Amino acid sequence: DAGVTQSPTHLIKTRGQQVTLRCSPKSGHDTVSWYQQALGQGPQFIFQYYEEEERQRGNFPDRFSGHQFPNYSSELNVNALLLGDSALYLCASSLNFGGEQFFGPGTRLTVL
Amino acid sequence: QKEVEQDPGPLSVPEGAIVSLNCTYSNSAFQYFMWYRQYSRKGPELLMYTYSSGNKEDGRFTAQVDKSSKYISLFIRDSQPSDSATYLCAMRDRGSTLGRLYFGRGTQLTVWP
């Protein structure tokens, strides 16, 4: 049984560029949440998708947007990248929005 | 004040020691409490999941929740070098933010042989 998968593993971008990160949930899960984890910090909630809609959102600017597809996979898009966007981006899946969340390995984004 | 406070350590103990990890929180609406283990450059792995106050044991791990004090703990008995990782506490409520996890910053643990 495949767990949560994320791609790419690593990414290097320059300031002002745009990036798209991808996540496939654990088999049987229908909800995807995205978190940003800066070095030495705990993960910070970005947003959650359920039934292809953004169900709730953390304190992140509109530069951060997402999408969920009918097969429950999800994308995180970040526009106009800033140096401070450098972090590990984690995707977590769950069975409905209140279920236990299982995390993927993350995508490490470096903005130069 | 952050909603979840966790001492980042680092914490270094000899193999076989009992490890105590703790978090405090300010939001009395939190009802679900979790501990995740995160190895370097990996995603967090769910270790323990508890609801409301009380204790839960799973092998060498025991999670305690004291809602009256807004304090949670994770105890690791007979610690092993393979337990060396960062331990994150997380919690959430039952209301409108049901799906959102609030994390501490993590405690870095090293168990030396």
Side-chain angles (χ1 to χ4, degrees):
Chain A
D1 176 26
V4 180
T5 59
Q6 293 185 243
S7 62
T9 304
H10 297 92
L11 206 51
I12 298 175
K13 293 286 188 178
T14 57
R15 282 179 297 174
Q17 285 189 310
Q18 178 264 344
V19 68
T20 297
L21 311 181
R22 296 176 175 81
C23 171
S24 291
K26 183 179 170 66
S27 178
H29 286 182
D30 58 7
T31 303
V32 172
S33 304
W34 286 92
Y35 294 81
Q36 180 196 66
Q37 186 177 24
L39 195 62
Q41 301 297 317
Q44 297 293 312
F45 177 80
I46 303 175
F47 42 52
Q48 183 183 67
Y49 277 84
Y50 174 69
E51 293 187 337
E52 301 181 49
E53 291 191 0
E54 182 183 292
R55 188 184 172 277
Q56 58 177 308
R57 188 180 183 92
N59 298 324
F60 280 81
D62 292 344
R63 297 187 298 108
F64 289 77
S65 64
H67 188 77
Q68 186 179 34
F69 299 93
N71 67 353
Y72 308 119
S73 66
S74 177
E75 289 182 348
L76 164 64
N77 301 291
V78 187
N79 295 322
L81 285 167
L82 303 174
L83 296 179
D85 294 332
S86 295
L88 180 67
Y89 287 84
L90 296 163
C91 168
S93 74
S94 58
L95 179 58
N96 70 54
F97 48 83
E100 294 180 27
Q101 295 187 19
F102 294 84
F103 284 81
T107 294
R108 184 161 299 280
L109 172 65
T110 302
V111 182
L112 301 176
Chain B
Q1 180 189 9
K2 295 188 70 174
E3 292 195 80
V4 182
E5 298 282 356
Q6 183 176 10
D7 186 338
L11 186 61
S12 181
V13 301
E15 183 175 357
I18 296 174
V19 176
S20 173
L21 305 168
N22 312 293
C23 288
T24 60
Y25 62 95
S26 58
N27 188 345
S28 58
F30 287 147
Q31 297 280 343
Y32 300 89
F33 304 91
M34 289 135 275
W35 286 94
Y36 285 85
R37 177 174 62 194
Q38 186 174 26
Y39 292 112
S40 181
R41 297 184 173 270
K42 301 292 185 183
E45 170 194 11
L46 182 63
L47 275 179
M48 301 288 281
Y49 185 100
T50 56
Y51 170 69
S52 195
S53 287
N55 294 357
K56 183 175 182 179
E57 187 173 320
D58 184 1
R60 296 184 296 110
F61 298 90
T62 300
Q64 289 185 351
V65 175
D66 182 350
K67 290 192 66 183
S68 63
S69 301
K70 297 189 179 68
Y71 186 88
I72 70 171
S73 301
L74 178 70
F75 297 95
I76 307 174
R77 291 182 299 280
D78 187 24
S79 56
Q80 303 294 310
S82 59
D83 294 328
S84 298
T86 295
Y87 289 80
L88 297 156
C89 65
M91 46 201 77
R92 62 181 176 88
D93 65 25
R94 297 185 65 183
S96 60
T97 63
L98 175 62
R100 173 178 179 172
L101 295 182
Y102 295 82
F103 281 89
R105 62 179 298 182
T107 299
Q108 186 180 345
L109 171 67
T110 300
V111 181
W112 43 274

Tab-separated table of all heavy atoms in Angstrom, chain B residues 75-109:
chain	number	residue	atom	x	y	z
B	75	PHE	N	6.603	9.888	26.797
B	75	PHE	CA	7.689	9.187	27.463
B	75	PHE	C	8.165	8.045	26.573
B	75	PHE	O	7.356	7.308	26.001
B	75	PHE	CB	7.230	8.623	28.819
B	75	PHE	CG	6.817	9.691	29.786
B	75	PHE	CD1	5.488	10.062	29.902
B	75	PHE	CD2	7.753	10.333	30.583
B	75	PHE	CE1	5.100	11.052	30.786
B	75	PHE	CE2	7.376	11.319	31.479
B	75	PHE	CZ	6.045	11.678	31.573
B	76	ILE	N	9.465	7.913	26.477
B	76	ILE	CA	10.068	6.816	25.735
B	76	ILE	C	10.900	6.000	26.716
B	76	ILE	O	11.843	6.520	27.334
B	76	ILE	CB	10.977	7.323	24.587
B	76	ILE	CG1	10.230	8.300	23.683
B	76	ILE	CG2	11.504	6.137	23.771
B	76	ILE	CD1	11.112	8.949	22.612
B	77	ARG	N	10.515	4.734	26.882
B	77	ARG	CA	11.272	3.850	27.792
B	77	ARG	C	12.327	3.092	27.006
B	77	ARG	O	12.168	2.847	25.796
B	77	ARG	CB	10.323	2.860	28.461
B	77	ARG	CG	9.369	3.468	29.443
B	77	ARG	CD	8.504	2.382	30.096
B	77	ARG	NE	7.710	1.661	29.112
B	77	ARG	CZ	6.579	2.129	28.611
B	77	ARG	NH1	6.118	3.310	28.989
B	77	ARG	NH2	5.901	1.423	27.717
B	78	ASP	N	13.399	2.698	27.706
B	78	ASP	CA	14.463	1.900	27.085
B	78	ASP	C	14.843	2.498	25.720
B	78	ASP	O	14.767	1.836	24.681
B	78	ASP	CB	14.003	0.446	26.918
B	78	ASP	CG	15.110	-0.471	26.441
B	78	ASP	OD1	16.284	-0.139	26.674
B	78	ASP	OD2	14.783	-1.499	25.807
B	79	SER	N	15.224	3.757	25.728
B	79	SER	CA	15.501	4.462	24.485
B	79	SER	C	16.635	3.790	23.701
B	79	SER	O	17.574	3.228	24.282
B	79	SER	CB	15.840	5.923	24.763
B	79	SER	OG	16.932	6.022	25.666
B	80	GLN	N	16.523	3.838	22.386
B	80	GLN	CA	17.455	3.208	21.464
B	80	GLN	C	18.068	4.263	20.539
B	80	GLN	O	17.440	5.292	20.258
B	80	GLN	CB	16.731	2.161	20.623
B	80	GLN	CG	16.024	1.090	21.437
B	80	GLN	CD	17.009	0.232	22.200
B	80	GLN	OE1	17.979	-0.262	21.614
B	80	GLN	NE2	16.775	0.048	23.496
B	81	PRO	N	19.259	4.004	20.011
B	81	PRO	CA	19.843	4.958	19.050
B	81	PRO	C	18.920	5.242	17.871
B	81	PRO	O	18.920	6.361	17.335
B	81	PRO	CB	21.126	4.255	18.613
B	81	PRO	CG	21.533	3.443	19.805
B	81	PRO	CD	20.225	2.959	20.396
B	82	SER	N	18.099	4.253	17.487
B	82	SER	CA	17.158	4.456	16.380
B	82	SER	C	16.039	5.439	16.731
B	82	SER	O	15.299	5.871	15.838
B	82	SER	CB	16.546	3.123	15.945
B	82	SER	OG	15.870	2.518	17.038
B	83	ASP	N	15.913	5.788	18.012
B	83	ASP	CA	14.925	6.798	18.426
B	83	ASP	C	15.437	8.217	18.175
B	83	ASP	O	14.692	9.188	18.359
B	83	ASP	CB	14.597	6.656	19.915
B	83	ASP	CG	13.892	5.351	20.251
B	83	ASP	OD1	13.138	4.851	19.382
B	83	ASP	OD2	14.094	4.838	21.365
B	84	SER	N	16.696	8.358	17.785
B	84	SER	CA	17.272	9.675	17.519
B	84	SER	C	16.531	10.332	16.359
B	84	SER	O	16.537	9.820	15.236
B	84	SER	CB	18.761	9.555	17.203
B	84	SER	OG	19.475	9.015	18.293
B	85	ALA	N	15.878	11.437	16.636
B	85	ALA	CA	15.026	12.124	15.650
B	85	ALA	C	14.515	13.405	16.297
B	85	ALA	O	14.815	13.694	17.452
B	85	ALA	CB	13.854	11.239	15.242
B	86	THR	N	13.727	14.148	15.544
B	86	THR	CA	13.005	15.295	16.097
B	86	THR	C	11.576	14.866	16.391
B	86	THR	O	10.931	14.233	15.548
B	86	THR	CB	13.014	16.480	15.116
B	86	THR	OG1	14.354	16.932	14.943
B	86	THR	CG2	12.160	17.629	15.655
B	87	TYR	N	11.113	15.182	17.587
B	87	TYR	CA	9.763	14.813	18.010
B	87	TYR	C	8.887	16.059	18.035
B	87	TYR	O	9.202	17.038	18.702
B	87	TYR	CB	9.798	14.126	19.375
B	87	TYR	CG	10.405	12.746	19.263
B	87	TYR	CD1	11.790	12.589	19.197
B	87	TYR	CD2	9.608	11.610	19.160
B	87	TYR	CE1	12.366	11.332	19.045
B	87	TYR	CE2	10.169	10.348	19.013
B	87	TYR	CZ	11.548	10.225	18.945
B	87	TYR	OH	12.108	8.981	18.782
B	88	LEU	N	7.791	15.993	17.291
B	88	LEU	CA	6.870	17.115	17.152
B	88	LEU	C	5.568	16.802	17.854
B	88	LEU	O	4.972	15.751	17.607
B	88	LEU	CB	6.570	17.376	15.668
B	88	LEU	CG	7.729	17.794	14.776
B	88	LEU	CD1	7.417	17.448	13.324
B	88	LEU	CD2	7.982	19.280	14.902
B	89	CYS	N	5.110	17.701	18.697
B	89	CYS	CA	3.755	17.572	19.217
B	89	CYS	C	2.820	18.333	18.286
B	89	CYS	O	3.224	19.316	17.643
B	89	CYS	CB	3.643	18.083	20.646
B	89	CYS	SG	3.947	19.843	20.860
B	90	ALA	N	1.589	17.870	18.203
B	90	ALA	CA	0.595	18.530	17.352
B	90	ALA	C	-0.763	18.373	18.005
B	90	ALA	O	-1.003	17.425	18.756
B	90	ALA	CB	0.594	17.923	15.951
B	91	MET	N	-1.651	19.286	17.722
B	91	MET	CA	-2.976	19.227	18.309
B	91	MET	C	-3.989	19.939	17.426
B	91	MET	O	-3.617	20.718	16.542
B	91	MET	CB	-2.974	19.812	19.720
B	91	MET	CG	-2.267	21.114	19.867
B	91	MET	SD	-1.787	21.421	21.604
B	91	MET	CE	-0.352	20.365	21.792
B	92	ARG	N	-5.276	19.631	17.657
B	92	ARG	CA	-6.339	20.286	16.900
B	92	ARG	C	-7.618	20.270	17.718
B	92	ARG	O	-7.730	19.544	18.697
B	92	ARG	CB	-6.543	19.611	15.550
B	92	ARG	CG	-6.983	18.156	15.595
B	92	ARG	CD	-7.122	17.636	14.168
B	92	ARG	NE	-7.458	16.221	14.116
B	92	ARG	CZ	-8.698	15.759	14.145
B	92	ARG	NH1	-9.720	16.565	14.257
B	92	ARG	NH2	-8.915	14.454	14.065
B	93	ASP	N	-8.588	21.090	17.255
B	93	ASP	CA	-9.841	21.155	18.002
B	93	ASP	C	-10.943	20.417	17.247
B	93	ASP	O	-10.685	19.760	16.243
B	93	ASP	CB	-10.205	22.615	18.298
B	93	ASP	CG	-10.507	23.408	17.038
B	93	ASP	OD1	-10.904	22.816	16.014
B	93	ASP	OD2	-10.342	24.645	17.077
B	94	ARG	N	-12.162	20.538	17.715
B	94	ARG	CA	-13.298	19.859	17.088
B	94	ARG	C	-14.193	20.838	16.338
B	94	ARG	O	-15.200	20.443	15.802
B	94	ARG	CB	-14.140	19.151	18.157
B	94	ARG	CG	-13.424	18.072	18.901
B	94	ARG	CD	-14.370	17.360	19.841
B	94	ARG	NE	-15.423	16.652	19.120
B	94	ARG	CZ	-16.398	16.001	19.713
B	94	ARG	NH1	-16.475	15.983	21.015
B	94	ARG	NH2	-17.304	15.372	19.015
B	95	GLY	N	-13.795	22.103	16.315
B	95	GLY	CA	-14.660	23.117	15.728
B	95	GLY	C	-14.389	23.344	14.263
B	95	GLY	O	-14.067	22.430	13.518
B	96	SER	N	-14.494	24.602	13.856
B	96	SER	CA	-14.392	24.955	12.442
B	96	SER	C	-13.014	24.683	11.866
B	96	SER	O	-12.849	24.557	10.662
B	96	SER	CB	-14.748	26.431	12.245
B	96	SER	OG	-13.848	27.248	12.988
B	97	THR	N	-11.997	24.593	12.723
B	97	THR	CA	-10.645	24.316	12.229
B	97	THR	C	-10.275	22.863	12.475
B	97	THR	O	-9.107	22.544	12.681
B	97	THR	CB	-9.610	25.245	12.887
B	97	THR	OG1	-9.589	25.001	14.295
B	97	THR	CG2	-9.922	26.695	12.612
B	98	LEU	N	-11.254	21.980	12.403
B	98	LEU	CA	-11.067	20.576	12.740
B	98	LEU	C	-9.880	19.947	12.039
B	98	LEU	O	-9.150	19.150	12.613
B	98	LEU	CB	-12.344	19.807	12.381
B	98	LEU	CG	-12.320	18.295	12.556
B	98	LEU	CD1	-12.095	17.937	14.005
B	98	LEU	CD2	-13.627	17.695	12.072
B	99	GLY	N	-9.672	20.278	10.762
B	99	GLY	CA	-8.639	19.600	10.004
B	99	GLY	C	-7.264	20.198	10.141
B	99	GLY	O	-6.293	19.661	9.614
B	100	ARG	N	-7.138	21.305	10.829
B	100	ARG	CA	-5.867	22.013	10.897
B	100	ARG	C	-5.082	21.547	12.115
B	100	ARG	O	-5.570	21.607	13.242
B	100	ARG	CB	-6.125	23.522	11.001
B	100	ARG	CG	-4.873	24.334	11.250
B	100	ARG	CD	-5.196	25.817	11.295
B	100	ARG	NE	-3.998	26.608	11.561
B	100	ARG	CZ	-3.943	27.928	11.498
B	100	ARG	NH1	-5.017	28.616	11.156
B	100	ARG	NH2	-2.814	28.566	11.760
B	101	LEU	N	-3.846	21.120	11.883
B	101	LEU	CA	-2.956	20.743	12.972
B	101	LEU	C	-2.094	21.933	13.365
B	101	LEU	O	-1.586	22.640	12.511
B	101	LEU	CB	-2.051	19.583	12.568
B	101	LEU	CG	-2.726	18.241	12.273
B	101	LEU	CD1	-1.675	17.196	11.929
B	101	LEU	CD2	-3.563	17.782	13.448
B	102	TYR	N	-1.942	22.114	14.679
B	102	TYR	CA	-1.043	23.130	15.226
B	102	TYR	C	0.149	22.391	15.834
B	102	TYR	O	-0.021	21.557	16.737
B	102	TYR	CB	-1.750	23.950	16.301
B	102	TYR	CG	-2.901	24.766	15.785
B	102	TYR	CD1	-4.158	24.197	15.587
B	102	TYR	CD2	-2.738	26.122	15.495
B	102	TYR	CE1	-5.214	24.945	15.112
B	102	TYR	CE2	-3.802	26.880	15.023
B	102	TYR	CZ	-5.033	26.287	14.838
B	102	TYR	OH	-6.073	27.033	14.364
B	103	PHE	N	1.339	22.703	15.345
B	103	PHE	CA	2.540	21.987	15.763
B	103	PHE	C	3.402	22.832	16.703
B	103	PHE	O	3.447	24.068	16.597
B	103	PHE	CB	3.407	21.660	14.537
B	103	PHE	CG	2.938	20.485	13.740
B	103	PHE	CD1	2.028	20.642	12.721
B	103	PHE	CD2	3.440	19.221	14.004
B	103	PHE	CE1	1.609	19.556	11.969
B	103	PHE	CE2	3.038	18.127	13.253
B	103	PHE	CZ	2.116	18.301	12.241
B	104	GLY	N	4.121	22.126	17.599
B	104	GLY	CA	5.240	22.736	18.281
B	104	GLY	C	6.421	22.766	17.334
B	104	GLY	O	6.378	22.202	16.234
B	105	ARG	N	7.518	23.409	17.766
B	105	ARG	CA	8.661	23.513	16.867
B	105	ARG	C	9.531	22.265	16.850
B	105	ARG	O	10.443	22.164	16.035
B	105	ARG	CB	9.503	24.735	17.216
B	105	ARG	CG	10.115	24.719	18.585
B	105	ARG	CD	10.959	25.954	18.838
B	105	ARG	NE	12.081	26.034	17.886
B	105	ARG	CZ	12.988	26.985	17.907
B	105	ARG	NH1	12.915	27.956	18.815
B	105	ARG	NH2	13.974	27.001	17.037
B	106	GLY	N	9.231	21.292	17.734
B	106	GLY	CA	9.982	20.049	17.725
B	106	GLY	C	11.121	20.035	18.722
B	106	GLY	O	11.743	21.075	18.984
B	107	THR	N	11.376	18.852	19.302
B	107	THR	CA	12.514	18.635	20.191
B	107	THR	C	13.458	17.636	19.526
B	107	THR	O	13.045	16.531	19.164
B	107	THR	CB	12.088	18.069	21.559
B	107	THR	OG1	11.218	19.003	22.204
B	107	THR	CG2	13.304	17.815	22.445
B	108	GLN	N	14.714	18.042	19.372
B	108	GLN	CA	15.706	17.175	18.741
B	108	GLN	C	16.311	16.247	19.785
B	108	GLN	O	16.885	16.706	20.770
B	108	GLN	CB	16.797	18.022	18.090
B	108	GLN	CG	17.801	17.224	17.294
B	108	GLN	CD	18.868	18.109	16.658
B	108	GLN	OE1	18.711	19.334	16.580
B	108	GLN	NE2	19.951	17.525	16.221
B	109	LEU	N	16.158	14.943	19.590
B	109	LEU	CA	16.630	13.929	20.527
B	109	LEU	C	17.760	13.111	19.909
B	109	LEU	O	17.651	12.652	18.765
B	109	LEU	CB	15.483	12.986	20.912
B	109	LEU	CG	15.860	11.743	21.722
B	109	LEU	CD1	16.344	12.132	23.123
B	109	LEU	CD2	14.686	10.773	21.820
